[in-house]
């Protein structure tokens, strides 16, 4: 069954604050094989004008996808997550994430469409620091594959 178009524009409550940890950033950089010292060395980050290490651009996915769980698990939406594949991801940064940031994410259903029996769900995650300043916007596209016949 196709997802309900009336959900487009629905905004979910902000998440609890997530504190970006220096070690989490370092672990993530190692996990993705990024050797840029600005992600692992506080002095290298400070030499470039940052107060501490900054996170690789894709680090924020872990926060925004967790926040999108409010959308995914919304029983009224009726998304069958067992049929979902990740379709696309993009980010628009106002500034890098920094160690010590306390961030919240507000998820918004930006679009729903059906194509060839598949439901395509676009979720926008707005990330703000504890001062309320915008840090990054993340867009996640999920595709719920059509049920197989027979």
């Amino acid at each position: 069954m196709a997802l309900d178009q009336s959900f487009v524009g629905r905004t979910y409550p902000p998440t609890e604050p997530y504190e970006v940890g220096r070690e989490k950033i370092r672990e993530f950089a190692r996990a993705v094989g990024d050797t840029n010292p600005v992600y692992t060395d506080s002095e290298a980050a400070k030499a470039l004008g940052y107060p501490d290490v900054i996170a690789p651009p894709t680090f924020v996915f872990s926060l925004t996808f967790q926040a999108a769980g409010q959308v995914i698990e919304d029983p009224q939406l009726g998304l069958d997550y067992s049929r979902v594949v990740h379709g696309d991801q993009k980010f628009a940064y106002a500034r890098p994430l920094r160690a010590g940031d306390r961030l919240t994410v507000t998820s918004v259903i930006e679009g729903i469409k059906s194509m060839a029996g598949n439901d395509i769900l676009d979720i926008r995650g707005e990330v703000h620091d504890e001062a309320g300043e915008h840090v990054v916007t993340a867009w996640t596209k999920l595709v719920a594959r059509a049920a197989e016949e027979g």
Side-chain angles (χ1 to χ4, degrees):
M1 179 182 347
L3 296 177
D4 186 345
Q5 290 286 324
S6 72
F7 278 74
V8 174
R10 182 173 285 198
T11 301
Y12 292 79
T15 60
E16 291 296 315
Y18 173 90
E19 186 166 341
V20 178
R22 181 182 301 115
E23 286 308 312
K24 288 287 188 189
I25 291 172
R26 289 175 177 154
E27 290 169 2
F28 186 86
R30 282 193 294 272
V32 298
D34 196 324
T35 59
N36 187 331
V38 75
Y39 304 141
T40 57
D41 181 344
S42 295
E43 294 309 312
K46 288 176 184 174
L48 292 175
Y50 300 109
D52 204 335
V53 295
I54 61 171
T58 56
F59 180 91
V60 75
F61 177 77
S62 61
L63 281 73
T64 57
F65 193 72
Q66 183 175 352
Q70 294 178 88
V71 177
I72 293 165
E73 296 168 5
D74 185 338
Q76 295 177 334
L77 179 61
L79 180 67
D80 180 358
Y81 192 70
S82 71
R83 305 207 58 80
V84 169
V85 295
H86 188 238
D88 192 21
Q89 189 70 51
K90 63 183 177 178
F91 309 102
Y93 275 86
R95 67 162 176 82
L97 275 63
R98 304 180 292 232
D101 275 340
R102 290 179 48 82
L103 305 172
T104 59
V105 182
T106 302
S107 296
V108 179
I109 297 177
E110 194 161 78
I112 296 174
K113 62 183 171 185
S114 293
M115 293 177 59
N118 300 310
D119 286 321
I120 301 169
L121 177 64
D122 291 305
I123 303 168
R124 185 180 77 242
E126 295 291 347
V127 181
H128 292 85
D129 64 18
E130 66 185 339
E133 296 295 318
H134 177 256
V135 178
V136 59
T137 300
W139 291 270
T140 302
K141 184 179 296 290
L142 301 176
V143 180
R145 296 172 291 116
E148 297 171 7
E149 295 189 28

